[in-house]
Amino acid sequence: MKKNFGVKNWMFPMPVLMIGTYNEDGTPDMMNAAWGGTYDYNQIIISLSSHQPTDNIRLKKAFTVSFATKETVTASDYVGIVSFKDEPNKISKSGLKYEKSKHVDAPIFTNYP
């Protein structure tokens, strides 16, 4: 049966975008951004509110984007719920691994595609 959902501003399935940044002291941070998608053929759009990683983006002018997968659901949920402001060791506690990006001043989390 087909259903008319009317005019809505969502699509399904929505990607879960993982945003990687460096804090002011150089430690990595990551957040779960549930609202994002394709903007144009060479751009994406991410809707963010105020979080530690958004502060980091303003400071460093750089970030990385990864896609959450079923293999990373636990870590993705953890870094999405836990704030660096409350738990400065959240990345090590999440089990995520990272390396410095060759292109921007932000970490690449190697657990993600």
Side-chain angles (χ1 to χ4, degrees):
M1 167 177 18
K2 292 187 179 186
K3 172 115 173 97
N4 182 343
F5 292 103
V7 177
K8 304 290 183 205
N9 66 343
W10 50 263
M11 61 186 139
F12 185 81
M14 288 194 63
V16 176
L17 303 175
M18 306 305 295
I19 311 303
T21 64
Y22 282 126
N23 294 302
E24 190 171 9
D25 67 358
T27 58
D29 197 4
M30 179 179 255
M31 72 174 282
N32 178 321
W35 291 96
T38 302
Y39 179 74
D40 201 350
Y41 73 95
N42 65 348
Q43 297 176 0
I44 61 172
I45 187 168
I46 306 167
S47 180
L48 302 172
S49 59
S50 181
H51 302 281
Q52 182 64 46
T54 55
D55 294 345
N56 297 341
I57 292 169
R58 284 185 197 94
L59 176 72
K60 300 281 190 169
K61 308 290 188 229
F63 61 95
T64 57
V65 179
S66 302
F67 291 95
T69 65
K70 65 181 180 180
E71 292 80 20
T72 62
V73 69
T74 301
S76 299
D77 191 44
Y78 179 78
V79 299
I81 293 171
V82 176
S83 171
F84 176 84
K85 294 175 183 177
D86 298 327
E87 178 51 72
N89 296 316
K90 83 177 204 178
I91 297 302
S92 62
K93 287 186 174 186
S94 73
L96 294 173
K97 305 296 181 213
Y98 65 94
E99 60 189 40
K100 183 168 178 43
S101 170
K102 296 175 185 173
H103 305 286
V104 296
D105 187 15
I108 294 177
F109 288 87
T110 57
N111 307 70
Y112 294 87

